[in-house]
Amino acid sequence: MSAPSCPCSADSVLASAPGRVNLLGEHTDYNDGYVLPVAIPQRTYVQASLSSDGRFHAYSQNLDENVAFDPEGELPDGFARYVGGCVRILRDHGIAVPPLCLKVHSEVPMGAGLSSSAALEVALLRALRQLLGLDLDDVQIAQYAQAAEIGYAGVQCGIMDQMAASLADTGHMLFLDTRTLERRLLPLPPGSGLIVIDSGVARTLATSKYNERFAQCREAARLLGVPMLRDIADASALAGLPCVLQRRARHVVTENARVRAAVAEGVDGPAFGRLMNASHASLRDDYEVSVPALDILCDMLRARPGVYGARLTGAGFGGACVALCERERAAPIAADVTVRYNRDRRRQQASVLLPAPSPGAGAGQPQPLFNSPG
Ligand code: GLA
């Protein structure tokens, strides 16, 4: 595959960032709460060089689409919007960004709840840090990436995805306090591994429903007289809220407690799995962000000996689910559950994302993915 020609300098840099799967702590980050993501092996790569024609060019290898844009003007839709948004955020912070040629290749599936947009934003900002010699640390990169997502993708997101893309690795859980940004890398429970299955169900209206949940949480906090729902430790304090707000807030309060319980000393696979099952029930019943496909897949996974627990992951409204199970059983269980689920041809067809189908695929080394820079 060859990229369309563009006026790119021959000196280019290549950077990348991973997608993430969140194990516990869903819809808590925009409430200043706790999260527990793990980076996945699938990564997004950005090659960056200077442009000589005074314009910005962004090329997506996945889409075979080339977009020229002016970051000061109307930003294009699609992948180039995230690119233009990051450039604008840098400029807002007084960082001069010259016209660029950018090439993007992503292994992170889009719309599966595995943070493909954060992987793109962080990979791009890393590439620009390298190309332009910017003095940015990994937390600033995550913060700028989040600002781009809020400002230009229109999602009132928290900072989990961007912190995971910038600071997590595939071998640890990133226990993050999204209020203070204090964090610790922790091992998975002993002997356990992860399964991630993409339900194939597209996340329809995800942005508007996500922003509605954000607004409901803010309103609940306002009625309770606290800055954020993070400041409520006990669900009994929610009794006076209107019914829907009470359920939304109960999810957030109990989910924060589940993350804290999961990172306590000595939590084994079965105990961790029970917390994941409870998280799914709370997301389904109180937060109302699950869909039947995710409920079915989680039930099928839980029915397998060796699986400790399963839940939807990411924002919900479609996308993927994650299970914790005995490590050596993860690959065969993931394959078998997916085959059986897909036997019903009326369903959107599911696919296994973890364990990664081809061992070592995208295992973290930037690959020479792009053809000539031109
Ligand atoms: C999306 C957002 C995150 C987080 C999750 C839900 O991935 O980008 O900030 O809110 O949904 O936990």
Side-chain angles (χ1 to χ4, degrees):
M1 195 221 54
S2 69
S5 66
C6 71
C8 306
S9 134
D11 294 325
S12 63
V13 299
L14 182 63
S16 70
R20 64 98 190 94
V21 57
N22 190 24
L23 302 192
L24 276 172
E26 218 67 85
H27 292 277
T28 50
D29 60 352
Y30 52 85
N31 293 294
D32 271 5
Y34 304 97
V35 295
L36 204 53
V38 179
I40 57 174
Q42 292 89 346
R43 302 180 75 86
T44 297
Y45 297 84
V46 172
Q47 180 182 284
S49 59
L50 297 178
S51 155
S52 61
D53 72 353
R55 305 200 71 192
F56 283 75
H57 301 266
Y59 173 70
S60 160
Q61 191 166 44
N62 300 69
L63 305 171
D64 193 16
E65 185 183 321
N66 203 10
V67 182
F69 65 96
D70 170 6
E72 299 309 322
E74 179 83 4
L75 290 181
D77 286 331
F79 81 100
R81 192 166 188 86
Y82 297 99
V83 174
C86 288
V87 171
R88 262 206 211 162
I89 293 293
L90 288 176
R91 290 185 167 183
D92 290 349
H93 286 83
I95 297 172
V97 184
L100 298 165
C101 283
L102 302 160
K103 293 176 185 173
V104 178
H105 173 76
S106 186
E107 302 162 346
V108 185
M110 279 170 252
L114 300 174
S115 291
S116 58
S117 59
L120 170 56
E121 292 150 359
V122 171
L124 172 68
L125 290 167
R126 283 179 170 171
L128 298 189
R129 173 170 66 183
Q130 211 179 317
L131 182 73
L132 307 174
L134 304 180
D135 183 20
L136 292 176
D137 64 28
D138 292 341
V139 171
Q140 279 172 306
I141 284 199
Q143 289 168 326
Y144 286 5
Q146 181 202 18
E149 183 95 23
I150 295 173
Y152 300 103
V155 184
Q156 294 291 336
C157 66
I159 200 165
M160 167 173 70
D161 300 350
Q162 293 79 12
M163 285 291 280
S166 193
L167 289 143
D169 65 52
T170 55
H172 296 90
M173 309 184 288
L174 176 70
F175 172 47
L176 173 69
D177 178 338
T178 64
R179 169 170 280 172
T180 62
L181 299 188
E182 278 172 51
R183 57 201 175 273
R184 271 188 287 152
L185 287 170
L186 302 171
L188 285 176
S192 64
L194 297 174
I195 293 172
V196 177
I197 298 175
D198 179 6
S199 69
V201 174
R203 299 187 303 156
T204 42
L205 296 177
T207 300
S208 57
K209 289 184 195 162
Y210 184 96
N211 288 344
E212 180 191 278
R213 298 298 185 280
F214 173 93
Q216 288 170 333
C217 289
R218 285 287 189 278
E219 177 63 2
R222 191 186 69 77
L223 291 172
L224 292 163
V226 292
M228 289 285 194
L229 287 179
R230 144 74 177 268
D231 299 300
I232 304 288
D234 184 346
S236 64
L238 309 173
L241 288 174
C243 182
V244 171
L245 294 189
Q246 192 178 134
R247 286 191 287 124
R248 302 294 188 251
R250 186 167 56 198
H251 166 71
V252 174
V253 171
T254 58
E255 186 78 349
N256 276 327
R258 282 185 283 272
V259 179
R260 293 171 63 101
V263 299
E265 197 76 24
V267 170
D268 60 7
F272 197 108
R274 284 191 291 276
L275 293 166
M276 292 174 78
N277 292 340
S279 170
H280 184 85
S282 178
L283 287 160
R284 182 192 58 211
D285 302 335
D286 277 348
Y287 221 63
E288 298 183 278
V289 296
S290 190
V291 293
L294 292 171
D295 297 339
I296 293 168
L297 279 166
C298 288
D299 281 345
M300 290 176 75
L301 285 161
R302 284 181 205 127
R304 293 309 178 97
V307 171
Y308 300 131
R311 57 181 289 273
L312 71 85
T313 187
F317 314 110
C321 60
V322 59
L324 187 79
C325 73
E326 290 170 24
R327 189 183 301 131
E328 64 282 3
R329 293 171 106 163
I333 291 175
D336 193 57
V337 164
T338 303
V339 166
R340 283 170 195 270
Y341 178 87
N342 286 344
R343 277 192 191 142
D344 185 340
R345 305 303 296 180
R346 291 164 303 180
R347 289 176 174 153
Q348 293 295 322
Q349 298 293 283
S351 51
V352 178
L353 299 175
L354 211 70
S358 52
Q365 290 305 311
Q367 305 292 320
L369 294 160
F370 303 101
N371 296 325
S372 71

